Amino acid sequence: MSALLQSSAAELGRAMASGQVSSREVTQAHLDRIHAVDGDVRAFLHVDAERALAAADAVDARRAAGAELGPLAGVPIAIKDIFCMTGAPTTVGSRILEGWQPPYNATVTQRVLDAGLVVLGKTNLDEFAMGSSTENSGYFTTHNPWDRDRIPGGSGGGSAAALAAFEAPLALGTDTGGSIRQPASVTGTVGVKPTYGGTSRYGVVAMASSLDQPGPCGRTVLDTALLHQVIAGWDPMDSTSINAPVPDVVGAARRADVSGLRLGVVRELGGEGYEPGVEQRFREAVDALAAAGAEIVEVSCPNFRYALGAYYLIMPSEVSSNLARFDAMRYGLRVGDDGSHSAEEVMALTRGAGFGAEVKRRIIIGTYALSSGYYDAYYGSAQKARTLIAGDFEAAFETCDALLSPSTPTTAFRIGERTDDPLAMYAADLCTIPSNMAGNAAGSFPCGLADGLPVGLQVMAPVLADDRVYAVGAALERELAARWGGVLTDRLWARQNGGEQ
Amino acid sequence: MSLKPYEEVLEAYDPALGLEVHVELNTASKMFCGCSTEFGAAPNTHTCPVCLGLPGALPVVNAKAVESVIRIGLALNCSIATWCRFARKNYFYPDMPKNFQTSQYDEPICFDGWTEVEVDGVTYRVEIERVHMEEDAGKLTHIGGSTGRIQGADHSLLDYNRAGVPLMEIVTKPVLGTGAAAPKVARAYMTQLRELLRALGVSDVRMEQGSLRCDANVSLAPKGSDVLGTRTETKNVNSLRSVERALTYEIQRQGEVLAAGGRVLQETRHWHEDAGHTSPGRSKEQAEDYRYFPEPDLVPIAPAAEWVEELRGTLPEPPAQRRRRLVAEWGFTELELRDVIGSGSLDLIADTVDAGASPAAARKWWSGDLARRANAAGVELEEIGITPAQVAELQSLIEDGTINDKLARQVIDGVLAGEGSPAEVVEARGLAVVSDDGALAEAVDAAIAANPEVADRIRGGKVQAAGALIGQVMKAMRGQADAARVRELIMERLG
């Protein structure tokens, strides 16, 4: 039982392929685990055991019939509740969509289903993916399995916590400013934001269209790469998706080869505001990569200092427009429809009641930034900063194959610690935002514990060089596993289930 | 309110026109999704996650729509952008599934064009500022209340079938120097635009179905002033006639306001076709802020120069050139042609000629009897209820002697009443000319017998008196006699 939970997705796939275990057994084990621990972790907004078992049985039946199945067929997965999926609610963590069931599947959802993955349920997130802690969820806060008084990161805290709590071996996330990487960092798991356009956004409820990117989450680099392979690739339904071959992320994860790669440590992503423990683990991880054969240099990206400010103009601008559709006219919450209010009043009442404070804050900021007379100063300037940031990446990638930084300046903070201080909350995404602004690939990989809490290392690679993110991540994982005797989350398992191993 | 006489206004002021024309393209699918654009389907059956604006749905540009707009731009002598983007126009309204319209803002796909229209022999140049792409909204039907408008309605129904249908907006620069002809120039421009769009095959251009819509802007400036006056934008102008009528009204109304020392308000006005006046709508004094920004869900459009040139090769003959060619081919005089253009019957005549009628006959019907009937009924000529093919059929019935001109008008009555094709109406109403000598001879003999003194006069050499007998015979035959044959029969007997 516990072996099934602790296994990687790749191992589970192999065990099922060789007939050692069925998908039903694997799925049931994870459902039992969810039943046992999710009351404390609160990673899931919605679990559908019946559906999951039916899907598992279907995979088992196909396998028994001799069907050719992919490496992840029958493996359970948790899906961030921002991906549309038929037959289940999609709330995006917001009361305004409570109970809404999409009539269609997101492209990524469809690819996951087509690959035979078994969906356990939908995971918690900050409302409309706006936050770094899940505290902005309209439903509840998810707890970090490493320390339940602490946040699991956000917005994809539910997916990351589900992985760290061994409730699922794989999960889906979306990353607009760090929503995959920062939760991965603070939960000791792996999360990759693909190149913008590398995965389809169709059916993923939009926060900021020019920044959002779906991506894979796992406990190991190979698992994450295998899921990346399943969900990535051109989608004619998403005009911004790239019509190019998917980089060989699985091969790169298997080879784990950084010999001869030149890796640049970004000078600006460190120093003041970064916890000493985070910087210490980061430096050791960089040394480990050097030991694995990479050449380490320091690079400067001076315009990264504009990233956070520019991000908090572009993102809310797009938010203010993308979230306009939640108006009670066609779906979702409807407040004040009692015959005494006009349609316009019903819209206002519904949005007032259905959106949380952070969502409202961003809608208001964005509405202001796009207003006539302010557009050039705010949105226009922010776009210029975005161009400068992309220029910094371009220059750095002329001399480096990939860039390195901590994934986030601190380890998991305490629940409630930053809820009254939006700016402190926003700072959690300091290291991750530049790659959203430039659209390049980036991932977060565990590099140890500081005061018992996970620290993540971020790898940033050029557009469409997602494989390089995995190569570096896998090399780090191999170096550290040799010292730890397993991946970082194995230590959490041992801590929680002492002796059970 | 009282209106100033039109001529008096024009003595003191120069009107400046501006026309914003929305054209629904006739692509098979919508602008950003695969749903059908077919008109008249059951409500909300031509919808999908994209055009309903469901969470997560994304747009994909209809390449055929882009092609259509580029062809329109080229036909209007526009420059075609080498790179342009869509933009979001943000405002809340229940007929907008996303509460923003995906449109174009500062980067239109076509810009800086021109066309020329002719009114009463004078050519006016209309400069085109831009042609851009956008999507249509859904349709609101207000239930309850007396006006069918939102005020006083009990509730409203929404049909999103139209949401996302490809729209194109053609915007003119201010059209100056038209003087008293301004409303006619506007009508001529719309007529020509319709002709052009039809020739391009890019739209059904049915004003009554809303596939061609015009917002008519007009302002007045004191004669000789080079500063434009404050303009009004008149909406709900749903026919060529109403373009002219609405602008004439607005010029008179503004003239009255200015003459009384008042100030014209910059506002949207609503044209009431039946009452023949405009009423104030939304004030634009506090302009709505649409918070335009580039649409991040779509990639820029960069039409390759070779493709644009390829499309240029598909353009139909320019309207002015076509008119010149048709005049030459048809042998019309300038005056006749002007009538034809004025009555909006050029295309109808061309189609009628194509269906086999002579140009003169086609012109006679469309510019004559049919134009009068359309005018009396207050409908567009082409919507009167008879097709060019039917007019050609009517003419051939005349030429083969089945009916005469007088009977033809009764046949038209029948066709317009929905009784079928001209031949079917002739058959059903029994309208064929009688040239059967047996029946005619009987009627002639009866007429002679009933009018012995007239018969005597003819016998006495007063041939013109035969007219009276012919009249008697025609009356007896209910107009269906072949008059020439009747005369022959009379002369055989009395000559």
Side-chain angles (χ1 to χ4, degrees):
Chain A
M1 182 71 166
S2 65
L4 291 182
L5 299 177
Q6 236 193 311
S7 296
S8 71
E11 288 162 356
L12 289 173
R14 277 198 301 274
M16 284 186 274
S18 65
Q20 292 170 332
V21 65
S22 67
S23 176
R24 171 170 266 269
E25 289 170 284
V26 171
T27 302
Q28 188 64 58
H30 285 92
L31 290 169
D32 291 346
R33 174 72 177 177
I34 292 168
H35 186 73
V37 305
D38 207 53
D40 294 327
V41 178
R42 311 216 72 186
F44 285 87
L45 280 165
H46 176 78
V47 175
D48 190 340
E50 208 171 305
R51 172 190 177 128
L53 291 170
D57 288 346
V59 173
D60 288 337
R62 285 171 63 207
R63 204 186 297 281
E68 193 79 22
L69 300 176
L72 296 179
V75 176
I77 187 169
I79 297 185
K80 186 179 184 182
D81 198 22
I82 195 168
F83 291 86
C84 287
M85 184 171 79
T86 57
T90 294
T91 67
V92 206
S94 180
R95 291 288 176 183
I96 209 161
L97 272 182
E98 191 168 7
W100 180 65
Q101 296 216 4
Y104 75 112
N105 283 328
T107 299
V108 166
T109 306
Q110 193 59 53
R111 288 183 181 178
V112 159
L113 295 173
D114 291 346
L117 283 128
V118 173
V119 178
L120 297 168
K122 309 288 289 288
T123 57
N124 193 27
L125 67 161
D126 289 291
E127 185 179 8
F128 284 100
M130 299 179 197
S132 304
S133 68
T134 71
E135 290 164 298
N136 295 332
S137 167
Y139 298 90
F140 46 74
T141 298
T142 299
H143 299 258
N144 191 325
W146 290 85
D147 177 347
R148 286 180 189 154
D149 292 334
R150 292 177 187 268
I151 59 99
S155 64
S159 280
L163 294 171
F166 297 88
E167 294 173 287
L170 290 172
L172 285 177
T174 59
D175 193 312
T176 306
S179 283
I180 287 175
R181 290 163 288 162
Q182 183 257 3
S185 180
V186 300
T187 58
T189 57
V190 178
V192 170
K193 180 200 89 72
T195 295
Y196 183 80
T199 48
S200 169
R201 294 184 296 113
Y202 188 75
V204 181
V205 182
M207 171 166 56
S209 308
S210 73
L211 300 158
D212 295 346
Q213 195 61 199
C217 310
R219 284 191 300 264
T220 74
V221 178
L222 178 60
D223 283 3
T224 310
L226 287 167
L227 182 55
H228 189 126
Q229 187 68 43
V230 165
I231 63 173
W234 182 61
D235 176 14
M237 298 296 279
D238 176 0
S239 307
T240 62
S241 90
I242 299 172
N243 192 353
V246 177
D248 181 16
V249 292
V250 173
R254 287 192 200 281
R255 286 190 294 277
D257 185 9
V258 289
S259 55
L261 284 190
R262 182 186 273 194
L263 305 179
V265 174
V266 181
R267 187 186 302 152
E268 285 77 9
L269 300 179
E272 199 188 329
Y274 289 73
E275 286 178 355
V278 167
E279 297 216 277
Q280 179 66 25
R281 290 292 93 78
F282 173 68
R283 275 194 300 275
E284 290 165 9
V286 171
D287 290 344
L289 286 168
E295 182 192 346
I296 307 295
V297 296
E298 193 183 69
V299 292
S300 175
C301 296
N303 293 302
F304 280 15
R305 67 191 146 133
Y306 302 126
L308 193 69
Y311 174 81
Y312 274 95
L313 288 168
I314 291 170
M315 176 272 294
S317 295
E318 295 184 15
V319 162
S320 71
S321 177
N322 280 335
L323 269 60
R325 69 188 61 193
F326 302 101
D327 65 357
M329 292 298 116
R330 289 159 297 278
Y331 44 77
L333 185 70
R334 181 180 276 190
V335 177
D337 183 15
D338 53 10
S340 73
H341 295 103
S342 68
E344 205 167 39
E345 288 163 348
V346 168
M347 285 182 181
L349 288 168
T350 301
R351 291 167 67 81
F355 287 141
E358 181 63 24
V359 171
K360 287 177 186 164
R361 175 165 26 243
R362 296 190 191 191
I363 290 173
I364 291 167
I365 291 172
T367 302
Y368 187 77
L370 288 177
S371 296
S372 151
Y374 296 97
Y375 179 91
D376 289 340
Y378 293 128
Y379 189 81
S381 302
Q383 288 295 4
K384 284 181 194 144
R386 193 170 185 175
T387 306
L388 292 175
I389 292 159
D392 276 6
F393 271 116
E394 234 169 84
F397 288 137
E398 273 173 26
T399 58
C400 300
D401 296 299
L403 304 181
L404 305 174
S405 77
S407 298
T408 178
T410 69
T411 55
F413 46 89
R414 285 181 193 285
I415 289 171
E417 194 179 314
R418 298 189 186 177
T419 40
D420 295 332
D421 187 352
L423 290 181
M425 190 71 92
Y426 296 168
D429 292 335
L430 214 50
C431 308
T432 44
I433 282 173
S435 291
N436 297 94
M437 297 292 268
N440 58 288
S444 177
F445 302 93
C447 60
L449 301 177
D451 296 326
L453 293 169
V455 174
L457 169 137
Q458 180 180 221
V459 182
M460 295 163 272
V463 165
L464 284 179
D466 304 46
D467 49 338
R468 238 177 267 167
V469 172
Y470 286 95
V472 177
L476 177 66
E477 182 183 66
R478 182 179 290 178
E479 285 293 318
L480 296 179
R483 299 176 198 180
W484 302 338
V487 296
L488 190 59
T489 40
D490 288 343
R491 289 159 77 174
L492 178 59
W493 180 270
R495 193 198 283 181
Q496 287 173 353
N497 306 275
E500 199 186 318
Q501 263 182 303
Chain B
M1 69 176 286
S2 65
L3 288 182
K4 205 143 182 75
Y6 188 73
E7 294 70 23
E8 243 177 75
V9 177
L10 271 299
E11 275 164 28
Y13 297 99
D14 283 327
L17 289 174
L19 296 162
E20 293 172 24
V21 178
H22 284 90
V23 182
E24 254 182 22
L25 301 179
N26 61 359
T27 54
S29 59
K30 292 186 179 181
M31 188 71 220
F32 300 116
C33 65
C35 287
S36 166
T37 55
E38 193 198 335
F39 183 80
N44 296 308
T45 53
H46 291 168
T47 56
C48 74
V50 177
C51 58
L52 285 176
L54 293 191
L58 296 173
V60 176
V61 174
N62 182 335
K64 185 75 190 172
V66 175
E67 180 187 301
S68 296
V69 174
I70 291 176
R71 291 179 71 232
I72 291 160
L74 291 171
L76 291 171
N77 304 297
C78 289
S79 301
I80 307 301
T82 52
W83 190 93
C84 68
R85 288 180 292 188
F86 283 94
R88 290 187 184 177
K89 181 181 185 180
N90 294 287
Y91 65 97
F92 282 84
Y93 210 72
D95 64 4
M96 298 257 297
K98 299 168 293 185
N99 284 321
F100 62 78
Q101 181 191 34
T102 306
S103 178
Q104 292 196 286
Y105 180 48
D106 50 357
E107 299 167 2
I109 187 158
C110 312
F111 55 94
D112 288 349
W114 57 268
T115 190
E116 282 176 349
V117 299
E118 213 182 285
V119 172
D120 295 334
V122 182
T123 300
Y124 297 90
R125 186 178 165 100
V126 177
E127 304 268 352
I128 307 294
E129 183 170 301
R130 57 189 284 154
V131 182
H132 76 243
M133 297 174 278
E134 59 187 34
E135 58 179 336
D136 212 339
K139 191 172 186 299
L140 271 165
T141 307
H142 303 296
I143 308 296
S146 55
T147 59
R149 300 181 70 182
I150 195 165
Q151 291 82 7
D154 179 42
H155 62 278
S156 304
L157 299 175
L158 273 161
D159 177 7
Y160 290 107
N161 282 352
R162 200 179 63 184
V165 166
L167 269 190
M168 179 194 65
E169 186 174 345
I170 305 171
V171 183
T172 68
K173 291 180 180 165
V175 183
L176 307 172
T178 55
K184 285 186 172 165
V185 169
R187 179 177 180 157
Y189 169 74
M190 288 300 292
T191 308
Q192 180 168 312
L193 205 53
R194 194 174 63 163
E195 192 185 317
L196 180 69
L197 294 167
R198 192 179 286 139
L200 284 162
V202 296
S203 171
D204 300 337
V205 287
R206 311 273 305 207
M207 287 191 91
E208 82 286 1
Q209 284 186 2
S211 60
L212 181 67
R213 290 172 238 162
C214 172
D215 296 342
N217 291 267
V218 67
S219 65
L220 296 182
K223 266 206 181 307
S225 163
D226 53 4
V227 181
L228 292 179
T230 303
R231 71 169 191 277
T232 58
E233 177 182 355
T234 303
K235 291 182 181 288
N236 197 39
V237 184
N238 295 327
S239 71
L240 296 174
R241 267 177 95 236
S242 46
V243 172
E244 186 177 340
R245 290 179 68 207
L247 283 169
T248 304
Y249 175 87
E250 263 304 290
I251 288 171
Q252 289 180 267
R253 187 192 67 83
Q254 291 183 17
E256 178 74 30
V257 169
L258 294 172
R263 187 172 74 95
V264 173
L265 293 178
Q266 186 174 338
E267 63 187 356
T268 299
R269 297 185 68 87
H270 192 87
W271 171 247
H272 301 271
E273 178 69 31
D274 296 339
H277 70 86
T278 65
S279 66
R282 192 155 33 96
S283 166
K284 288 211 165 177
E285 299 274 295
Q286 289 97 31
E288 190 159 355
D289 186 351
Y290 292 118
R291 296 179 286 116
Y292 282 101
F293 73 107
E295 167 59 273
D297 283 329
L298 291 170
V299 289
I301 293 178
E306 305 78 55
W307 184 48
V308 171
E309 286 318 303
E310 205 178 290
L311 293 178
R312 198 188 294 279
T314 69
L315 295 185
E317 191 179 13
Q321 192 178 318
R322 176 165 178 255
R323 281 197 297 269
R324 279 195 296 276
R325 178 176 61 78
L326 291 178
V327 177
E329 282 180 10
W330 292 348
F332 290 177
T333 65
E334 273 298 324
L335 195 67
E336 285 167 342
L337 184 76
R338 210 178 289 168
D339 280 350
V340 164
I341 292 168
S343 65
S345 58
L346 186 78
D347 279 338
L348 295 164
I349 291 172
D351 290 348
T352 307
V353 171
D354 285 348
S358 71
R363 183 182 65 77
K364 181 188 77 179
W365 288 115
W366 287 112
S367 296
D369 184 75
L370 294 172
R372 275 193 299 277
R373 287 173 190 252
N375 205 38
V379 299
E380 298 298 320
L381 189 50
E382 62 173 9
E383 286 146 18
I384 190 172
I386 187 167
T387 65
Q390 288 171 334
V391 172
E393 185 186 333
L394 181 79
Q395 183 60 27
S396 81
L397 289 172
I398 293 169
E399 282 165 19
D400 70 14
T402 307
I403 54 172
N404 55 28
D405 264 27
K406 202 168 168 199
L407 286 174
R409 291 174 215 286
Q410 292 182 54
V411 174
I412 292 172
D413 291 340
V415 173
L416 298 187
E419 293 168 22
S421 70
E424 285 163 354
V425 173
V426 166
E427 174 71 28
R429 291 196 176 191
L431 292 178
V433 167
V434 178
S435 48
D436 162 36
D437 276 5
L440 287 182
E442 213 173 288
V444 167
D445 290 343
I448 291 171
N451 300 280
E453 66 284 6
V454 179
D456 284 346
R457 273 193 288 158
I458 297 170
R459 283 193 195 95
K462 291 212 152 130
V463 178
Q464 60 270 43
L469 286 184
I470 294 169
Q472 290 285 320
V473 173
M474 292 303 274
K475 197 173 171 191
M477 301 292 293
R478 297 204 318 281
Q480 285 168 255
D482 179 339
R485 186 63 194 141
V486 172
R487 175 179 292 276
E488 278 171 26
L489 289 172
I490 292 170
M491 294 319 287
E492 273 173 26
R493 284 161 175 72
L494 306 175

